[in-house]
Amino acid sequence: MRDALFRRLLPLGASLSLVLGPLAAQAVRALPRSATDAYAGATAFGIPTTPFRAQYWFASENLPPVQVVNAIGVRLARAAGSAAQTRVVEIAVADSPVAFGAVTASFANNLGPAPVTFLAPRSVAFPAIAASADPNVAAAWFPGDAPFVHVGQHFVVDFKVGTASGGAFVRNDGFVMAPASADTLHLAGRASCGGVLRGAWSSGVFTLSASGLPASVPVSFNLGFENVEQGALRLPFDLGVIGMPGCHLAVIPVVAAHLSASAAGTASLALNVALPVGSTLMLSAQLMHPRVALPQQIADYATSNAVHSSFGVAGLCNALFAGSDTATLATAGPQPVNNAIVLLLQ
C-alpha cells in the first residue's frame, strides 16, 4: 500500500494545474528566475543616497513568452532594512533583441529600438522597511503607469534615480557568479514539512544531498525546469489543501529518481552535469518522502525545501551603473559573467 500511494503522489505537480483552476501566487516572481522565493546571497549591490543610473539585463529564459508586468520591486538583502526617504525616480523597460554578448556601456544600446517609460519621473516617498528573512520583501515597489506586456525577447529594466532626502544606503540581494570560483549557484527555497535538501557541483558532478529524513524510507528526487508557474498553477503551492499540512510544491517535476534513505536519515543523488559555454542552465529539485515508516494516507508524506541551481557563468543576467541619473554611458559594467541585482515582478 505504501509504495502504491507513493507512486500516485509522484506526478502531483503535473496534475495539480489541471484540476485546481486559477490560484493566487504563493511567491513573487524574481529575476533571475532561479532566485524566486530564494535569496541569491550576494551583498555587493546597494542603493546609494546619491544620484545614479542603473540598468539590468535579463535573458529571455527568465520569463515566459508573455508576461504582464504591473509593478517592479527591488529585493532587500537577507536581514537588511531600509530607512524612509524621498527621491525622484524614472523607470524604463524594454523587450530587447540585444544578447548577453552584445550588451555595452551604452544604456540606450541595451534598451534596443523600442523602450517604454514604465514610470514617468516623479518624486516618490519610500516608507521604512524592517529587516526581514523573507525573499519576497522589496526595498521598494514601483507600480507602472500602465502594465507592460513582455513578449519573448530579453528583458531590460533601466532606473534613473535622483538624490535622496533622508534615508541611508540600502543593501540589496544580488545574483553574482564568477569563473572558477563560482561556476554554479544553488539557492535554497523556503523550508517545507520534510527533510532539508542541498545542492553542490564539483568537477562535472551535481550532487543533491538530503538530511533529516526518517530512517530507510523511500525517497523521490524530483527535478524540473519550472519553479514559478505552469498554466494556472503558481509556485510554491500550499499542499495543505490536499491533506499535506505544512508542505508545499516548489518544482514542476519532469523526471524523478527513486532511492532510499540511509539508517541515519540521509540520501543523495549524483548527476553528471557539464557546464554550458556562454549560457546558463537553470534546474530545480525537490524531495518527496514519507514522514513515517509505514505511511497509510497522503498526510503521511512530506516535501523538502527546493534547490534552484544555475550552471554556467554567463548569459543569464547583467548589470550597468553610473553615478549620475543623467549618464548615457555606464562607468561600471557590463559584466563578463552573470551579475545583477535581484528584481521582483508583480
Side-chain angles (χ1 to χ4, degrees):
M1 178 177 178
R2 179 187 70 177
D3 291 342
L5 180 58
F6 192 54
R7 285 194 296 272
R8 290 200 300 271
L9 288 172
L10 296 182
L12 183 64
S15 61
L16 276 174
S17 61
L18 301 178
V19 300
L20 292 176
L23 299 167
Q26 297 296 301
V28 181
R29 175 182 285 275
L31 298 174
R33 177 168 56 81
S34 55
T36 297
D37 207 41
Y39 282 105
T43 58
F45 285 99
I47 301 173
T49 57
T50 52
F52 68 90
R53 184 173 184 180
Q55 187 179 85
Y56 303 101
W57 177 100
F58 298 97
S60 58
E61 55 261 39
N62 285 292
L63 290 162
V66 178
Q67 172 75 37
V68 177
V69 180
N70 293 295
I72 298 172
V74 182
R75 179 188 282 173
L76 281 167
R78 186 193 300 268
S82 176
Q85 58 182 282
T86 300
R87 60 201 312 180
V88 174
V89 179
E90 178 181 359
I91 302 174
V93 296
D95 284 337
S96 175
V98 179
F100 182 89
V103 175
T104 71
S106 167
F107 292 112
N109 170 77
N110 307 325
L111 286 166
V116 173
T117 299
F118 184 72
L119 181 75
R122 69 190 63 173
S123 180
V124 179
F126 301 100
I129 305 295
S132 172
D134 182 353
N136 297 298
V137 172
W141 279 104
F142 302 97
D145 295 329
F148 176 77
V149 181
H150 157 80
V151 182
Q153 299 186 76
H154 309 302
F155 185 59
V156 182
V157 182
D158 187 284
F159 294 88
K160 297 177 182 177
V161 183
T163 302
S165 174
F169 186 86
V170 178
R171 186 65 64 187
N172 297 119
D173 186 37
F175 187 100
V176 177
M177 303 180 77
S181 61
D183 293 321
T184 63
L185 279 181
H186 308 278
L187 309 181
R190 70 178 69 182
S192 192
C193 59
V196 176
L197 187 64
R198 299 177 178 86
W201 182 92
S202 179
S203 302
V205 178
F206 172 43
T207 303
L208 287 163
S209 302
S211 59
L213 311 174
S216 306
V217 296
V219 298
S220 175
F221 287 88
N222 296 334
L223 293 92
F225 300 104
E226 183 55 61
N227 68 314
V228 182
E229 62 184 321
Q230 181 162 314
L233 182 65
R234 293 296 304 270
L235 304 176
F237 177 74
D238 183 357
L239 294 174
V241 299
I242 61 167
M244 297 174 66
C247 306
H248 66 267
L249 177 74
V251 177
I252 301 298
V254 175
V255 296
H258 311 314
L259 303 172
S260 294
S262 69
T266 62
S268 64
L269 174 67
L271 302 169
N272 292 325
V273 177
L275 297 182
V277 177
S279 63
T280 300
L281 169 68
M282 290 182 285
L283 181 66
S284 294
Q286 188 175 27
L287 192 75
M288 179 174 284
H289 64 85
R291 299 176 191 251
V292 296
L294 296 173
Q296 301 296 313
Q297 56 189 344
I298 195 169
D300 291 334
Y301 288 85
T303 55
S304 72
N305 63 288
V307 170
H308 308 302
S309 299
S310 300
F311 303 90
V313 299
L316 189 64
C317 58
N318 215 321
L320 299 93
F321 180 86
S324 167
D325 56 343
T326 60
T328 59
L329 296 176
T331 54
Q335 307 296 328
V337 297
N338 296 324
N339 190 309
I341 202 169
V342 176
L343 297 183
L344 304 176
L345 301 183
Q346 290 181 340

Short mmCIF file of all heavy atoms in Angstrom, two decimals, residues 213-260:
data_model
loop_
_atom_site.label_atom_id
_atom_site.label_comp_id
_atom_site.label_asym_id
_atom_site.label_seq_id
_atom_site.Cartn_x
_atom_site.Cartn_y
_atom_site.Cartn_z
N LEU A 213 15.65 12.93 7.25
CA LEU A 213 14.62 12.04 6.77
C LEU A 213 14.40 10.90 7.78
O LEU A 213 15.30 10.55 8.55
CB LEU A 213 15.03 11.42 5.43
CG LEU A 213 15.52 12.39 4.35
CD1 LEU A 213 16.01 11.60 3.14
CD2 LEU A 213 14.43 13.37 3.96
N PRO A 214 13.22 10.29 7.78
CA PRO A 214 13.05 9.07 8.57
C PRO A 214 14.00 7.99 8.04
O PRO A 214 14.33 7.96 6.85
CB PRO A 214 11.58 8.70 8.34
CG PRO A 214 10.92 9.97 7.94
CD PRO A 214 11.95 10.73 7.16
N ALA A 215 14.43 7.10 8.90
CA ALA A 215 15.40 6.07 8.52
C ALA A 215 14.81 5.12 7.48
O ALA A 215 13.67 4.65 7.61
CB ALA A 215 15.84 5.29 9.75
N SER A 216 15.60 4.89 6.42
CA SER A 216 15.36 3.81 5.46
C SER A 216 14.06 3.92 4.67
O SER A 216 13.59 2.92 4.11
CB SER A 216 15.40 2.45 6.19
OG SER A 216 16.61 2.31 6.90
N VAL A 217 13.46 5.12 4.58
CA VAL A 217 12.23 5.26 3.80
C VAL A 217 12.56 5.48 2.33
O VAL A 217 13.65 5.93 1.98
CB VAL A 217 11.38 6.45 4.33
CG1 VAL A 217 10.92 6.19 5.75
CG2 VAL A 217 12.13 7.76 4.20
N PRO A 218 11.63 5.18 1.41
CA PRO A 218 11.85 5.51 0.00
C PRO A 218 11.77 7.03 -0.19
O PRO A 218 10.99 7.70 0.48
CB PRO A 218 10.72 4.80 -0.72
CG PRO A 218 9.64 4.68 0.30
CD PRO A 218 10.34 4.49 1.61
N VAL A 219 12.58 7.55 -1.10
CA VAL A 219 12.57 8.98 -1.38
C VAL A 219 12.53 9.20 -2.88
O VAL A 219 13.01 8.36 -3.66
CB VAL A 219 13.80 9.70 -0.77
CG1 VAL A 219 13.81 9.58 0.73
CG2 VAL A 219 15.09 9.15 -1.37
N SER A 220 11.96 10.31 -3.29
CA SER A 220 11.92 10.68 -4.70
C SER A 220 12.58 12.04 -4.88
O SER A 220 12.13 13.04 -4.30
CB SER A 220 10.48 10.73 -5.20
OG SER A 220 10.43 11.20 -6.53
N PHE A 221 13.66 12.07 -5.64
CA PHE A 221 14.28 13.34 -6.03
C PHE A 221 13.58 13.80 -7.31
O PHE A 221 13.75 13.21 -8.38
CB PHE A 221 15.77 13.15 -6.29
CG PHE A 221 16.60 12.94 -5.06
CD1 PHE A 221 16.80 11.65 -4.56
CD2 PHE A 221 17.21 13.99 -4.41
CE1 PHE A 221 17.59 11.44 -3.43
CE2 PHE A 221 17.99 13.79 -3.28
CZ PHE A 221 18.18 12.52 -2.79
N ASN A 222 12.77 14.85 -7.20
CA ASN A 222 12.03 15.37 -8.34
C ASN A 222 12.77 16.55 -8.95
O ASN A 222 13.10 17.51 -8.24
CB ASN A 222 10.63 15.81 -7.92
CG ASN A 222 9.78 14.64 -7.44
OD1 ASN A 222 10.00 13.51 -7.83
ND2 ASN A 222 8.82 14.92 -6.58
N LEU A 223 13.02 16.50 -10.25
CA LEU A 223 13.77 17.55 -10.94
C LEU A 223 12.94 18.13 -12.07
O LEU A 223 12.20 17.41 -12.76
CB LEU A 223 15.08 17.00 -11.51
CG LEU A 223 16.13 16.57 -10.49
CD1 LEU A 223 15.99 15.09 -10.16
CD2 LEU A 223 17.54 16.86 -10.99
N GLY A 224 13.06 19.44 -12.26
CA GLY A 224 12.35 20.11 -13.33
C GLY A 224 12.97 21.45 -13.65
O GLY A 224 13.93 21.89 -13.00
N PHE A 225 12.43 22.12 -14.64
CA PHE A 225 12.96 23.41 -15.09
C PHE A 225 12.11 24.59 -14.63
O PHE A 225 12.55 25.73 -14.70
CB PHE A 225 13.08 23.42 -16.61
CG PHE A 225 13.98 22.35 -17.15
CD1 PHE A 225 13.45 21.22 -17.75
CD2 PHE A 225 15.36 22.45 -17.04
CE1 PHE A 225 14.27 20.22 -18.23
CE2 PHE A 225 16.19 21.46 -17.51
CZ PHE A 225 15.64 20.33 -18.12
N GLU A 226 10.88 24.33 -14.18
CA GLU A 226 9.97 25.42 -13.83
C GLU A 226 9.79 25.51 -12.32
O GLU A 226 9.40 24.55 -11.66
CB GLU A 226 8.62 25.20 -14.50
CG GLU A 226 7.63 26.33 -14.26
CD GLU A 226 8.18 27.69 -14.65
OE1 GLU A 226 8.51 27.90 -15.85
OE2 GLU A 226 8.31 28.55 -13.75
N ASN A 227 10.07 26.68 -11.76
CA ASN A 227 9.93 26.90 -10.32
C ASN A 227 9.02 28.08 -9.99
O ASN A 227 8.99 28.51 -8.85
CB ASN A 227 11.31 27.13 -9.69
CG ASN A 227 11.94 28.43 -10.12
OD1 ASN A 227 11.95 28.77 -11.30
ND2 ASN A 227 12.47 29.19 -9.18
N VAL A 228 8.29 28.59 -10.98
CA VAL A 228 7.43 29.75 -10.74
C VAL A 228 5.97 29.45 -11.06
O VAL A 228 5.09 29.67 -10.23
CB VAL A 228 7.90 30.98 -11.55
CG1 VAL A 228 7.02 32.19 -11.24
CG2 VAL A 228 9.36 31.30 -11.25
N GLU A 229 5.70 28.95 -12.25
CA GLU A 229 4.32 28.68 -12.61
C GLU A 229 4.25 27.75 -13.81
O GLU A 229 5.17 27.67 -14.62
CB GLU A 229 3.58 29.98 -12.94
CG GLU A 229 4.14 30.74 -14.12
CD GLU A 229 3.42 32.07 -14.35
OE1 GLU A 229 2.19 32.10 -14.18
OE2 GLU A 229 4.09 33.05 -14.69
N GLN A 230 3.13 27.03 -13.88
CA GLN A 230 2.81 26.25 -15.06
C GLN A 230 1.31 26.29 -15.25
O GLN A 230 0.56 25.78 -14.42
CB GLN A 230 3.29 24.80 -14.95
CG GLN A 230 2.98 23.98 -16.19
CD GLN A 230 3.80 22.73 -16.27
OE1 GLN A 230 5.00 22.74 -16.05
NE2 GLN A 230 3.15 21.62 -16.59
N GLY A 231 0.87 26.90 -16.34
CA GLY A 231 -0.55 27.10 -16.53
C GLY A 231 -1.11 27.95 -15.41
O GLY A 231 -0.61 29.03 -15.11
N ALA A 232 -2.16 27.46 -14.76
CA ALA A 232 -2.80 28.20 -13.67
C ALA A 232 -2.13 27.95 -12.33
O ALA A 232 -2.52 28.55 -11.33
CB ALA A 232 -4.27 27.82 -13.59
N LEU A 233 -1.15 27.05 -12.28
CA LEU A 233 -0.53 26.68 -11.01
C LEU A 233 0.64 27.59 -10.70
O LEU A 233 1.61 27.65 -11.45
CB LEU A 233 -0.06 25.23 -11.07
CG LEU A 233 0.56 24.68 -9.78
CD1 LEU A 233 -0.49 24.63 -8.68
CD2 LEU A 233 1.15 23.30 -10.00
N ARG A 234 0.56 28.33 -9.60
CA ARG A 234 1.63 29.18 -9.14
C ARG A 234 2.38 28.51 -8.00
O ARG A 234 1.77 27.84 -7.16
CB ARG A 234 1.08 30.54 -8.68
CG ARG A 234 0.49 31.38 -9.80
CD ARG A 234 1.50 31.79 -10.85
NE ARG A 234 2.63 32.49 -10.31
CZ ARG A 234 2.70 33.81 -10.15
NH1 ARG A 234 1.68 34.57 -10.47
NH2 ARG A 234 3.79 34.36 -9.65
N LEU A 235 3.67 28.66 -8.00
CA LEU A 235 4.53 28.01 -7.01
C LEU A 235 5.17 29.02 -6.09
O LEU A 235 5.37 30.17 -6.47
CB LEU A 235 5.62 27.21 -7.74
CG LEU A 235 5.14 26.16 -8.74
CD1 LEU A 235 6.33 25.54 -9.44
CD2 LEU A 235 4.29 25.10 -8.08
N PRO A 236 5.58 28.59 -4.88
CA PRO A 236 5.28 27.29 -4.27
C PRO A 236 3.82 27.19 -3.87
O PRO A 236 3.24 28.15 -3.37
CB PRO A 236 6.20 27.26 -3.06
CG PRO A 236 6.44 28.68 -2.72
CD PRO A 236 6.42 29.44 -4.01
N PHE A 237 3.24 26.01 -4.10
CA PHE A 237 1.83 25.78 -3.86
C PHE A 237 1.64 25.07 -2.51
O PHE A 237 2.31 24.08 -2.22
CB PHE A 237 1.24 24.94 -4.99
CG PHE A 237 -0.20 24.59 -4.77
CD1 PHE A 237 -1.18 25.55 -4.93
CD2 PHE A 237 -0.56 23.31 -4.38
CE1 PHE A 237 -2.51 25.24 -4.70
CE2 PHE A 237 -1.89 23.00 -4.16
CZ PHE A 237 -2.87 23.96 -4.32
N ASP A 238 0.71 25.58 -1.71
CA ASP A 238 0.43 25.03 -0.39
C ASP A 238 -0.31 23.70 -0.54
O ASP A 238 -1.46 23.65 -0.98
CB ASP A 238 -0.42 26.02 0.40
CG ASP A 238 -0.70 25.56 1.82
OD1 ASP A 238 -0.31 24.44 2.19
OD2 ASP A 238 -1.32 26.33 2.57
N LEU A 239 0.35 22.60 -0.16
CA LEU A 239 -0.24 21.28 -0.30
C LEU A 239 -1.19 20.92 0.83
O LEU A 239 -1.75 19.81 0.84
CB LEU A 239 0.88 20.23 -0.40
CG LEU A 239 1.75 20.33 -1.65
CD1 LEU A 239 2.91 19.35 -1.59
CD2 LEU A 239 0.93 20.11 -2.91
N GLY A 240 -1.39 21.84 1.76
CA GLY A 240 -2.36 21.60 2.82
C GLY A 240 -3.76 21.36 2.26
O GLY A 240 -4.56 20.64 2.87
N VAL A 241 -4.07 21.92 1.08
CA VAL A 241 -5.41 21.78 0.52
C VAL A 241 -5.69 20.36 0.06
O VAL A 241 -6.84 19.99 -0.16
CB VAL A 241 -5.62 22.76 -0.66
CG1 VAL A 241 -5.48 24.19 -0.20
CG2 VAL A 241 -4.66 22.47 -1.80
N ILE A 242 -4.66 19.53 -0.11
CA ILE A 242 -4.88 18.14 -0.49
C ILE A 242 -4.51 17.19 0.64
O ILE A 242 -4.36 15.99 0.43
CB ILE A 242 -4.11 17.77 -1.77
CG1 ILE A 242 -2.60 17.92 -1.59
CG2 ILE A 242 -4.59 18.61 -2.94
CD1 ILE A 242 -1.80 17.29 -2.71
N GLY A 243 -4.33 17.75 1.86
CA GLY A 243 -4.10 16.89 3.01
C GLY A 243 -2.67 16.71 3.42
O GLY A 243 -2.35 15.78 4.16
N MET A 244 -1.77 17.64 2.99
CA MET A 244 -0.37 17.59 3.40
C MET A 244 -0.04 18.89 4.14
O MET A 244 0.60 19.78 3.59
CB MET A 244 0.56 17.38 2.20
CG MET A 244 0.36 16.05 1.50
SD MET A 244 1.34 15.87 -0.02
CE MET A 244 3.01 15.86 0.64
N PRO A 245 -0.48 19.05 5.37
CA PRO A 245 -0.31 20.31 6.09
C PRO A 245 1.16 20.67 6.28
O PRO A 245 1.99 19.83 6.59
CB PRO A 245 -1.00 20.04 7.43
CG PRO A 245 -0.98 18.56 7.59
CD PRO A 245 -1.14 18.01 6.20
N GLY A 246 1.46 21.96 6.08
CA GLY A 246 2.82 22.46 6.26
C GLY A 246 3.74 22.18 5.11
O GLY A 246 4.92 22.56 5.14
N CYS A 247 3.24 21.51 4.07
CA CYS A 247 4.08 21.16 2.91
C CYS A 247 3.77 22.08 1.73
O CYS A 247 2.70 22.68 1.66
CB CYS A 247 3.81 19.72 2.49
SG CYS A 247 3.98 18.48 3.79
N HIS A 248 4.70 22.15 0.79
CA HIS A 248 4.44 22.90 -0.43
C HIS A 248 5.12 22.24 -1.62
O HIS A 248 6.12 21.53 -1.47
CB HIS A 248 4.89 24.36 -0.31
CG HIS A 248 6.37 24.54 -0.16
ND1 HIS A 248 6.99 24.62 1.06
CD2 HIS A 248 7.35 24.66 -1.09
CE1 HIS A 248 8.30 24.78 0.88
NE2 HIS A 248 8.54 24.81 -0.41
N LEU A 249 4.57 22.48 -2.78
CA LEU A 249 5.16 22.05 -4.04
C LEU A 249 5.91 23.23 -4.63
O LEU A 249 5.32 24.30 -4.83
CB LEU A 249 4.08 21.58 -5.01
CG LEU A 249 4.56 21.17 -6.40
CD1 LEU A 249 5.26 19.82 -6.35
CD2 LEU A 249 3.39 21.13 -7.39
N ALA A 250 7.21 23.08 -4.89
CA ALA A 250 8.03 24.20 -5.35
C ALA A 250 8.65 23.97 -6.72
O ALA A 250 9.30 24.87 -7.26
CB ALA A 250 9.13 24.50 -4.34
N VAL A 251 8.45 22.79 -7.30
CA VAL A 251 9.06 22.46 -8.59
C VAL A 251 8.04 21.68 -9.41
O VAL A 251 7.38 20.78 -8.87
CB VAL A 251 10.33 21.59 -8.41
CG1 VAL A 251 10.91 21.20 -9.76
CG2 VAL A 251 11.36 22.31 -7.58
N ILE A 252 7.89 22.01 -10.68
CA ILE A 252 7.10 21.17 -11.58
C ILE A 252 8.01 20.05 -12.06
O ILE A 252 8.94 20.28 -12.83
CB ILE A 252 6.58 21.98 -12.79
CG1 ILE A 252 5.71 23.15 -12.32
CG2 ILE A 252 5.80 21.07 -13.73
CD1 ILE A 252 4.47 22.75 -11.57
N PRO A 253 7.81 18.81 -11.59
CA PRO A 253 8.77 17.75 -11.91
C PRO A 253 8.68 17.29 -13.36
O PRO A 253 7.59 17.17 -13.93
CB PRO A 253 8.38 16.62 -10.95
CG PRO A 253 6.94 16.86 -10.65
CD PRO A 253 6.74 18.34 -10.69
N VAL A 254 9.84 17.06 -13.95
CA VAL A 254 9.94 16.49 -15.29
C VAL A 254 10.42 15.04 -15.20
O VAL A 254 9.92 14.17 -15.90
CB VAL A 254 10.90 17.33 -16.16
CG1 VAL A 254 11.10 16.68 -17.53
CG2 VAL A 254 10.35 18.74 -16.34
N VAL A 255 11.40 14.81 -14.33
CA VAL A 255 11.91 13.45 -14.09
C VAL A 255 12.06 13.27 -12.58
O VAL A 255 12.12 14.24 -11.82
CB VAL A 255 13.25 13.20 -14.80
CG1 VAL A 255 13.10 13.27 -16.31
CG2 VAL A 255 14.31 14.18 -14.31
N ALA A 256 12.13 12.01 -12.17
CA ALA A 256 12.31 11.70 -10.75
C ALA A 256 13.25 10.51 -10.61
O ALA A 256 13.25 9.60 -11.45
CB ALA A 256 10.98 11.41 -10.08
N ALA A 257 14.06 10.54 -9.57
CA ALA A 257 14.93 9.42 -9.22
C ALA A 257 14.48 8.87 -7.88
O ALA A 257 14.33 9.62 -6.91
CB ALA A 257 16.39 9.88 -9.14
N HIS A 258 14.25 7.56 -7.81
CA HIS A 258 13.71 6.93 -6.61
C HIS A 258 14.82 6.15 -5.90
O HIS A 258 15.39 5.20 -6.45
CB HIS A 258 12.55 6.00 -6.98
CG HIS A 258 11.54 6.63 -7.88
ND1 HIS A 258 11.04 7.89 -7.67
CD2 HIS A 258 10.95 6.19 -9.03
CE1 HIS A 258 10.18 8.20 -8.61
NE2 HIS A 258 10.10 7.18 -9.45
N LEU A 259 15.11 6.57 -4.68
CA LEU A 259 16.18 5.96 -3.89
C LEU A 259 15.64 5.65 -2.50
O LEU A 259 14.43 5.79 -2.25
CB LEU A 259 17.38 6.90 -3.81
CG LEU A 259 17.99 7.35 -5.15
CD1 LEU A 259 19.03 8.43 -4.92
CD2 LEU A 259 18.59 6.16 -5.88
N SER A 260 16.51 5.26 -1.59
CA SER A 260 16.13 5.00 -0.20
C SER A 260 17.02 5.81 0.73
O SER A 260 18.22 6.00 0.47
CB SER A 260 16.26 3.51 0.13
OG SER A 260 15.33 2.75 -0.60
#
